[in-house]
Amino acid sequence: MAGTVITIRDIACYGYHGALEEEQALGQEFRVSLELKTSLTPERDLLSETFDYREAVDLVRRIMEGPPRRLLETLAEEIAAGLLALPGIEEVKISVCKPHPPIAAVLGGVAVEIRRSRAERQS
């Protein structure tokens, strides 16, 4: 299938997510990266013929800055569902990263990555 993959790296958000009470009280930074496979193939140099990735960034920010969730997995699933509901998006890969988790010795952050497709949601 023809298509295009749009990659958006490190969308910075501040949220109150986590399993610990302190995380939900104090909040912390999160980073979200996306790969969006679209079936749209513009014939002209027009934004209206492709996917406007600002919509994806806005959706991510609304979810990440919204109500607290305990699990990164829950956030990733909510983002995937929202993106797959947008016209033209066929598949997504989402990484939700907590760059500074409250875990001793973890310096590179903790992330959850999922892949979902419109086809699997419809079956």
Side-chain angles (χ1 to χ4, degrees), residues 42-97:
E43 295 180 17
R44 300 168 292 174
D45 190 27
L46 297 173
L47 182 58
S48 61
E49 292 183 354
T50 189
F51 177 73
D52 184 346
Y53 50 81
R54 292 175 296 183
E55 290 182 57
V57 173
D58 289 343
L59 184 139
V60 166
R61 291 190 65 211
R62 281 194 310 272
I63 290 170
M64 295 303 296
E65 295 170 1
R69 302 289 186 248
R70 295 200 178 280
L71 302 177
L72 296 177
E73 293 89 333
T74 303
L75 292 162
E77 290 291 349
E78 289 180 15
I79 292 167
L83 291 170
L84 289 169
L86 297 173
I89 301 299
E90 301 299 325
E91 297 177 22
V92 297
K93 180 171 97 172
I94 294 145
S95 173
V96 178
C97 177

